Amino acid sequence: MKAVIASEPGTPDVLALQDLPTPEPGPGEVAIDVVATAVNRADTLQRQGYYPPPAGASDIIGLECSGVVAAVGDGVTRWAPGDEVCALLAGGGYATRVIAPEGQVMAVPDGVDVASAAALPEVAATVWSNVFMGAGLRSGEIFLAHGGAGGIGTFAIQAASALGARVFATAGSSRKTDLCLRLGAEGVINYREDDFVEILRAATDGHGADVILDNMGGSYLGRNVDALAMGGRLAIIGMQGGTRGELNIGKLLTKRGTVLATSLRPRPIEEKSAICREVEKQAWPLVAAGRIQPIIHASLPLAEAAEAHRMLEASDHAGKILLTA
């Protein structure tokens, strides 16, 4: 098979397409001939040597894919060769074949072509496990998504809006704020120009956000707590703004607030499989109905993974960047 390999930790230039032995599925595993994979922030960290794969996972970069089932291992009952699927991975996506646990393989949603489906597994699992399963966002509540024009943000805005929440987002340019509005956000704050805490409070008559999905981490911690409503829940999923921040525990206590911090990749297979089942049950019908659409910024050949990484790190994109096998 062909796979993109990082020759050493470094810039995107260390990525190159190479020939590797084709893997075969073991018990409970599914082999997928990859049609497309997607680029995530975690991929750039792994390329730089900062985010190694969990024990036992492929050291090939790539956390999601779509494609066609090539073979199944002993004990696999749901999938058969020829099935079109997408999958949540712990690694291995930047290749022409990947092995995934049966429970992390999902059907391609109705109405989505198999290549575009590669844009869905990681964002859908992240949003559903944090915003709905973890933070318990409900219809009528106020939701704030940071980085609203990114892959996770675009999915989160659509999902929360479809389920009846009042949605707000932050973004860094007028092009990105316009996209967030088109996807269902009631209001979008340009974080380069305005204070999201003040704008959100004014727009919600002082209520604030019942749930915040945050990809920044340390640099936003204090202001996120300021933006929380009484009984609000802050779900932290990233550290683009650093790993350390100051938390005013008194303010959090006064608001009866909750801070959730989760990562998806290192979770046990059983937990990720349960999340995938919830995604198929709850999110895929919204995708099939057109209420959630995969937002794709660009699609490049697998051999151009280095350019895809440069594109992601420039932060000018909106939605997902795909690599096609």
Side-chain angles (χ1 to χ4, degrees), residues 49-323:
Y50 298 134
Y51 192 32
S58 171
D59 59 4
I60 297 170
I61 297 172
L63 299 180
E64 57 193 331
C65 75
S66 61
V68 178
V69 173
V72 299
D74 291 343
V76 173
T77 58
R78 183 179 178 190
W79 307 109
D83 289 342
E84 291 187 342
V85 297
C86 55
L88 179 69
L89 309 171
Y94 289 20
T96 55
R97 179 172 287 191
V98 70
I99 304 297
E102 179 182 21
Q104 291 173 216
V105 179
M106 296 176 281
V108 172
D110 290 342
V112 177
D113 66 89
V114 66
S116 297
L120 292 171
E122 176 74 12
V123 296
T126 297
V127 170
W128 217 266
S129 62
N130 284 278
V131 176
F132 300 103
M133 298 171 69
L137 181 67
R138 298 181 293 272
S139 177
E141 289 193 315
I142 294 169
F143 172 62
L144 173 63
H146 288 302
I152 288 173
T154 53
F155 189 96
I157 289 170
Q158 293 179 87
S161 178
L163 293 175
R166 292 180 60 190
V167 180
F168 294 82
T170 62
S173 70
S174 58
R175 177 175 62 88
K176 292 182 178 182
T177 59
D178 289 346
L179 173 62
C180 294
L181 291 170
R182 291 198 303 271
L183 294 177
E186 176 181 329
V188 187
I189 302 107
N190 187 326
Y191 63 82
R192 300 184 191 277
E193 300 175 356
D194 297 305
D195 185 334
F196 71 83
V197 179
E198 292 182 2
I199 300 294
L200 183 67
R201 281 177 174 168
T204 59
D205 296 323
H207 181 85
D210 297 293
V211 174
I212 299 174
L213 184 64
D214 175 57
N215 60 349
M216 295 302 294
S219 64
Y220 272 27
L221 181 58
R223 292 164 66 205
N224 278 330
V225 173
D226 288 340
L228 281 179
M230 192 68 66
R233 292 86 72 195
L234 167 62
I236 302 173
I237 59 168
M239 301 175 292
Q240 292 182 42
T243 61
R244 296 179 181 272
E246 186 169 314
L247 176 64
N248 186 328
I249 296 175
K251 187 174 293 184
L252 191 66
L253 286 169
T254 300
K255 292 192 171 187
R256 301 194 299 276
T258 300
V259 178
L260 313 167
T262 70
S263 59
L264 184 62
R265 188 184 194 186
R267 291 192 185 194
I269 290 172
E270 294 76 15
E271 290 186 18
K272 288 188 282 191
S273 297
I275 292 167
C276 288
R277 298 291 75 75
E278 281 297 301
V279 165
E280 283 192 292
K281 179 181 177 182
Q282 305 292 346
W284 275 193
L286 297 174
V287 176
R291 302 184 72 185
I292 300 175
Q293 299 178 359
I295 306 300
I296 298 169
H297 177 78
S299 181
L300 288 74
L302 193 60
E304 296 181 20
E307 178 58 27
H309 275 224
R310 282 189 284 268
M311 190 180 294
L312 184 75
E313 291 176 324
S315 293
D316 291 330
H317 67 290
K320 298 283 282 191
I321 298 169
L322 301 187
L323 293 171

